[in-house]
Amino acid sequence: RKEVEQDPGPFNVPEGATVAFNCTYSNSASQSFFWYRQDCRKEPKLLMSVYSSGNEDGRFTAQLNRASQYISLLIRDSKLSDSATYLCVVTDKLIFGTGTRLQVFP
Amino acid sequence: DTGVSQDPRHKITKRGQNVTFRCDPISEHNRLYWYRQTLGQGPEFLTYFQNEAQLEKSRLLSDRFSAERPKGSFSTLEIQRTEQGDSAMYLCASSLGRVPFTDTQYFGPGTRLTVL
């Protein structure tokens, strides 16, 4: 089993849809998690950190489920500009997932 | 621009040649990381520095790879005797480093290496 796993997608959703991605991690001692967004042939850009209590930033919500060892990212009211690859990272292990590709269509 | 910068942005080389990449982190950041990314994969950790000290190296970092951060500011990554399998995007990131491994990493634009 990979240490950090993501469904590569692509997730094809219409504008306005709500979409959710999960990222599972294998090391129960992992402490720190982030979501990054990466556009094609560009560097990863920080989207949001993931706190135990969950956190929300506008249309984006990140949550951590320690019991089941996964983090999630929820995007509400999808925009065309949300089309990108979403990478999760277990920062204290310096391990990124392979990314989930999202394509939002009109 | 006060972000992470990398130079060159693109490098094409022939197999067997040596290449060197440079990364300039955000000025107040103590930690500097090197990653490699290939198509369809997430960034793979190579090595990181706390100031000038290289604290961890991945097993991905073969003997042909060497990284330095001599004054705790910019860093260089050298690949000797390049192979076609070295073709990838090489990403540099930096972070404040005040709380180990939990602070945010900011990435540079990467150096895309093509080995012919």
Side-chain angles (χ1 to χ4, degrees):
Chain A
R1 180 184 175 187
K2 286 185 178 179
E3 293 190 71
V4 178
E5 287 195 84
Q6 294 185 255
D7 181 343
F11 284 60
N12 295 306
V13 302
E15 274 186 292
T18 296
V19 62
F21 314 132
N22 284 343
C23 169
T24 59
Y25 60 94
S26 61
N27 191 326
S28 59
S30 298
Q31 294 292 321
S32 179
F33 310 89
F34 289 82
W35 283 102
Y36 280 77
R37 170 199 168 119
Q38 186 171 29
D39 293 293
C40 188
R41 302 182 76 84
K42 299 284 189 182
E43 73 272 24
K45 291 189 186 295
L46 177 69
L47 184 64
M48 60 198 306
S49 53
V50 186
Y51 303 128
S52 296
S53 55
N55 49 311
E56 187 174 317
D57 183 3
R59 298 181 295 109
F60 299 84
T61 300
Q63 292 191 315
L64 166 63
N65 185 318
R66 287 198 184 275
S68 300
Q69 293 181 210
Y70 72 88
I71 62 172
S72 63
L73 178 67
L74 180 78
I75 306 175
R76 289 181 296 276
D77 188 23
S78 298
K79 312 291 185 190
L80 294 175
S81 57
D82 294 333
S83 298
T85 295
Y86 291 84
L87 297 161
C88 66
V89 57
V90 179
T91 314
D92 50 320
K93 306 300 178 189
L94 296 173
I95 301 173
F96 279 81
T98 55
T100 297
R101 193 154 67 90
L102 171 66
Q103 184 68 47
V104 182
F105 57 88
Chain B
D1 188 351
T2 56
V4 179
S5 62
Q6 293 187 245
D7 183 70
R9 296 289 303 275
H10 303 273
K11 180 69 176 179
I12 299 173
T13 192
K14 293 183 179 178
R15 189 175 51 189
Q17 298 295 304
N18 299 343
V19 294
T20 300
F21 309 142
R22 176 179 170 127
C23 171
D24 286 87
I26 294 171
S27 58
E28 66 268 27
H29 283 187
N30 295 320
R31 287 207 167 201
L32 186 148
Y33 308 80
W34 285 100
Y35 292 88
R36 180 174 67 189
Q37 188 176 26
T38 54
L39 197 62
Q41 301 297 315
E44 294 176 297
F45 168 73
L46 294 177
T47 188
Y48 86 89
F49 293 84
Q50 175 77 34
N51 300 312
E52 66 276 9
Q54 188 173 16
L55 295 186
E56 188 171 337
K57 292 193 290 186
S58 164
R59 63 180 185 278
L60 292 176
L61 211 67
S62 77
D63 291 344
R64 297 185 297 107
F65 287 69
S66 62
E68 293 182 341
R69 194 182 182 198
K71 296 181 181 179
S73 56
F74 74 91
S75 176
T76 58
L77 177 68
E78 181 183 16
I79 309 174
Q80 296 182 325
R81 306 181 303 281
T82 52
E83 301 173 355
Q84 287 182 326
D86 296 333
S87 296
M89 174 77 89
Y90 289 84
L91 292 162
C92 175
S94 70
S95 69
L96 280 169
R98 288 176 190 162
V99 183
F101 299 115
T102 62
D103 54 343
T104 305
Q105 295 181 41
Y106 296 91
F107 283 84
T111 295
R112 186 169 296 281
L113 173 66
T114 302
V115 181
L116 302 175

